[in-house]
Amino acid sequence: MKRRYILLLVLLPVAFMTFSGFTMNNSKTIADFSFEPSSYDVPSIEEVKGDFPGGHTSLTLGKTYLGFKEALAFSESSGNYFAVNRLGYKGRYQFGKSALKWVGVKNSKQFMQSPLLQEAAFDALVAKNKFVLRNHIATYNGKTIGGVKVTESGLIAAAHLCGAGNVKKFLETNGEYIFADANNVPLTKYLNHFKDYDTSTVPANANAKVS
């Protein structure tokens, strides 16, 4: 009995030290991993420069044409090339059937599978809308209509939302006619939100098409 009692006294400290050491080591390991960053959300050089269509918007884009595209794409689809809304509008810039046809896109499936084609289609649409609105841009640019400053980029964005014809009506009625799309977004919101971007890099072209 005495021998068993002595053995127990010897084993208890050993067991305590072993258990304590194991616990401390594991706690340290858990702490190390919990504070170690597992990933970094940092854009690549190409994304910062905007070399990839649909790359992350960087702070350097500002009011450039690329900044205009990124801002409009975010508003339309959160920048998602594969988005299709409840009305069937497709892609990053939410093209309808008539807009696709107007810029020469014949295969909507191919359109949805190609970010490059979507970017080219948007550039063609900007060129065509700029041509259709060329006289109104020259007449109203810089003026305030219906409490909203009119700029070339704002007019192009509004035309993307509701068509150039409705933009003309807004200007010609001195802001009394305000078209809103199926989501009840008025063209004045786009006029204001996308004003003062530099869209001069895309020339007006009635015949703009994607290849």
Side-chain angles (χ1 to χ4, degrees):
M1 183 72 178
K2 186 176 180 180
R3 185 177 299 175
R4 292 176 62 184
Y5 178 73
I6 295 173
L7 181 62
L8 183 62
L9 288 177
V10 172
L11 290 177
L12 277 175
V14 173
F16 175 78
M17 291 176 62
T18 303
F19 179 76
S20 299
F22 178 80
T23 304
M24 290 175 63
N25 286 337
N26 276 274
S27 298
K28 185 177 185 298
T29 303
I30 293 171
D32 288 344
F33 277 105
S34 65
F35 288 101
E36 182 69 24
S38 59
S39 65
Y40 298 88
D41 186 17
V42 179
S44 65
I45 293 175
E46 290 79 9
E47 288 174 325
V48 172
K49 289 181 178 179
D51 294 337
F52 291 142
H56 296 293
T57 303
S58 76
L59 296 176
T60 61
L61 293 180
K63 290 290 185 176
T64 64
Y65 178 62
L66 185 55
F68 172 73
K69 293 178 72 174
E70 291 288 343
L72 188 57
F74 184 82
S75 178
E76 292 291 307
S77 69
S78 296
N80 183 5
Y81 285 108
F82 309 105
V84 179
N85 76 0
R86 60 187 175 83
L87 299 174
Y89 286 80
K90 296 176 170 63
R92 191 172 193 246
Y93 301 99
Q94 294 292 277
F95 273 72
K97 290 181 179 179
S98 59
L100 287 174
K101 184 177 180 181
W102 199 31
V103 298
V105 175
K106 298 178 180 179
N107 189 325
S108 60
K109 184 177 180 180
Q110 183 185 24
F111 175 79
M112 288 297 294
Q113 293 175 342
S114 174
L116 290 176
L117 181 57
Q118 292 188 34
E119 295 296 332
F122 179 79
D123 293 340
L125 186 62
V126 169
K128 294 177 83 72
N129 276 326
K130 186 182 283 194
F131 179 83
V132 174
L133 293 169
R134 65 193 184 284
N135 294 328
H136 290 73
I137 290 172
T139 302
Y140 295 98
N141 189 41
K143 295 182 179 181
T144 299
I145 305 292
V148 181
K149 181 183 177 183
V150 176
T151 65
E152 180 179 283
S153 61
L155 291 173
I156 291 171
H160 185 83
L161 175 74
C162 62
N166 287 311
V167 173
K168 286 182 178 182
K169 288 182 182 180
F170 169 80
L171 296 172
E172 293 167 359
T173 61
N174 198 35
E176 292 185 9
Y177 174 84
I178 302 176
F179 181 90
D181 71 355
N183 294 314
N184 203 33
V185 178
L187 66 83
T188 49
K189 181 175 182 178
Y190 270 43
L191 273 175
N192 184 58
H193 189 71
F194 299 104
K195 65 186 177 184
D196 293 325
Y197 282 89
D198 181 10
T199 52
S200 63
T201 55
V202 179
N205 184 358
N207 301 311
K209 299 277 186 181
V210 295
S211 58

